[in-house]
Amino acid sequence: PKPQNPSSEHIFQNYYSKFATYIYYNLIFEKITKMEEGQEILDKRYKIVKRLGNGAFGEIYKVEKKKTGDFLAAKVEKAVKNQKHIMLFWESKLIHKLRGKTAVPNLHFVGDEKTEDGKMYHVMVMDMLGKSLEDLFQECRRKFDLNTVLHIAVQMIQRIKVVHEERIIHRDIKPDNFLVGGTEQTKNTIYIIDFGLAKCYKSSDGEHIPFRDGKNLTGTARYASINTHIGYEQSRRDDLETIGHVLLYFLKGTLPW
């Protein structure tokens, strides 16, 4: 069907849904996944150093591998009884699929953790990368020059091209989800992370997902495509449009909405 301009009521409903999700994960989900600094996890092989932030589904911690002293990142999701679709395991599956094909973090462990008080968590341990593009943007007083934006654009498009070739759409393109490497050898490489909201847009038989409307906003409202705000099913075009919004944000320092 021909795209229509979104009504103010429709946009409000999408923003309301997004806001409700934000409240749930930040006021409730965060509390039940909180781990303490110095806490040992995964048969005491890793030690929590500090909390780094959160992803689409789960908290991110800096951890130390006790055997080697290496610092890694651990994404932790609270286990829910009788949960059919474990988002962290789905994300790890997509990262495994992309390994060796584009710049994604290496995975060191994916599994479950039961704490001493009986709580169950899903844990994914991966490489500790460097700063996000958002962090670097803030350090540069919220302005990248044209040359920098063009270099970033090339790598972002290269990353998403491979993701799309593997029948995956990311659905949460934003500066926080692109990080530079954490070593001297990888500091100029941009990695794509956080596949918690990603999905396959084609079946293994090559059949594209059907068009749908009335969908809730998935992703980050600031950078989301127009069709995503209208409520249309997302596809490859929406990832690309969102990259365009991110690049304008880097170039101008802000977006006009």
Side-chain angles (χ1 to χ4, degrees), residues 179-229:
L179 278 62
V180 295
T183 67
E184 188 65 25
Q185 294 76 22
T186 62
K187 66 180 183 180
N188 293 320
T189 301
I190 296 175
Y191 290 74
I192 184 170
I193 66 164
D194 200 352
F195 289 83
L197 295 177
K199 67 181 291 185
C200 291
Y201 68 88
K202 276 185 179 180
S203 68
S204 56
D205 297 327
E207 184 178 355
H208 200 285
I209 56 176
F211 172 84
R212 291 191 178 93
D213 57 9
K215 305 281 290 185
N216 289 329
L217 193 152
T218 299
T220 302
R222 177 192 286 180
Y223 307 105
S225 69
I226 293 174
N227 281 339
T228 300
H229 281 283

Side-chain angles (χ1 to χ4, degrees), residues 33-158:
T33 57
K34 185 177 180 182
M35 289 189 167
E36 302 296 332
E37 293 183 11
Q39 181 177 342
E40 295 180 336
I41 61 173
L42 304 175
D43 296 326
K44 298 186 177 183
R45 287 177 291 164
Y46 298 90
K47 182 173 69 174
I48 301 290
V49 177
K50 65 178 181 178
R51 180 182 179 274
L52 297 175
N54 60 281
F57 296 93
E59 298 292 303
I60 313 294
Y61 293 91
K62 180 179 181 179
V63 299
E64 180 185 0
K65 188 173 184 179
K66 295 175 65 179
K67 186 176 181 179
T68 62
D70 294 335
F71 291 108
L72 302 167
K75 192 170 187 178
V76 181
E77 174 187 356
K78 180 71 168 65
V80 178
K81 190 176 181 180
N82 299 324
Q83 185 179 4
K84 292 183 179 179
H85 303 289
I86 300 172
M87 301 307 297
L88 206 63
F89 292 168
W90 167 247
E91 181 177 4
S92 69
K93 181 179 178 180
L94 297 183
I95 292 175
H96 273 300
K97 193 174 183 180
L98 293 165
R99 276 186 64 187
K101 299 172 183 175
T102 192
V104 292
N106 289 318
L107 300 184
H108 297 260
F109 174 88
V110 180
D112 294 326
E113 159 74 359
K114 186 174 183 179
T115 59
E116 293 179 355
D117 57 3
K119 292 181 180 178
M120 286 292 297
Y121 298 91
H122 307 304
V123 182
M124 180 170 69
V125 180
M126 53 194 159
D127 284 347
M128 184 77 183
L129 298 176
K131 294 180 179 180
S132 72
L133 294 185
E134 179 64 29
D135 292 333
L136 296 172
F137 188 57
Q138 297 297 334
E139 289 180 4
C140 294
R141 299 182 180 179
R142 299 180 57 79
K143 193 70 177 289
F144 286 154
D145 61 31
L146 179 59
N147 187 53
T148 301
V149 174
L150 291 174
H151 280 292
I152 291 171
V154 169
Q155 291 205 46
M156 290 183 74
I157 293 169
Q158 287 173 340

